[in-house]
Amino acid sequence: MKPAVTKLTGFSHFFAAAGYSLGGFRRLIKEAAFRQELLFFAVSIILLLSVGATLSELMIAVVLFLALFAVEALNTAIEEVIDRISPEISMVGKHAKDLGSFAVLCMLAACGLFLMFTIGKHLLLG
């Protein structure tokens, strides 16, 4: 019996996975929250550069924002799955969506705290 999905290997798998990731990015860019987070990222990098942040501080900011983008993608995936399998309002669906939203809030707070600390440090001690 032939499997329903053929698993790719080697370079074929790499290119297929890259295509899936690009599809995920195209889907995520439709989300207003993600576009706002991208703007937050761009403004943050400009601010960090303007206060003379070190390469290490810039890399920490990039890693934090990449984590934020990943959590936002997972939150969007949760919302899409809940909306598909449970279009009616349910407490389980609401809890899942609320938990995803809380995860995004935690990452936004982590990014914001790091930025406040780093920018404050450079402005006060700079």
Side-chain angles (χ1 to χ4, degrees), residues 32-85:
F34 180 64
R35 293 191 306 272
Q36 292 165 358
E37 291 157 0
L38 282 174
L39 179 61
F40 179 32
F41 171 67
V43 169
S44 298
I45 294 300
I46 291 168
L47 287 172
L48 287 169
L49 289 170
S50 70
V51 299
T54 66
L55 182 59
S56 296
E57 291 166 336
L58 288 167
M59 290 307 299
I60 291 168
V62 168
V63 169
L64 280 170
F65 275 96
L66 287 173
L68 169 64
F69 301 154
V71 171
E72 182 64 51
L74 292 171
N75 181 47
T76 299
I78 289 167
E79 289 175 353
E80 290 218 353
V81 169
I82 294 299
D83 290 345
R84 171 74 170 98
I85 62 174

Side-chain angles (χ1 to χ4, degrees), residues 82-106:
I82 294 299
D83 290 345
R84 171 74 170 98
I85 62 174
S86 181
E88 71 283 346
I89 302 296
S90 71
M91 287 310 294
V92 172
K94 180 184 180 330
H95 290 163
K97 288 182 174 188
D98 289 350
L99 289 165
S101 180
F102 179 69
V104 171
L105 177 65
C106 289

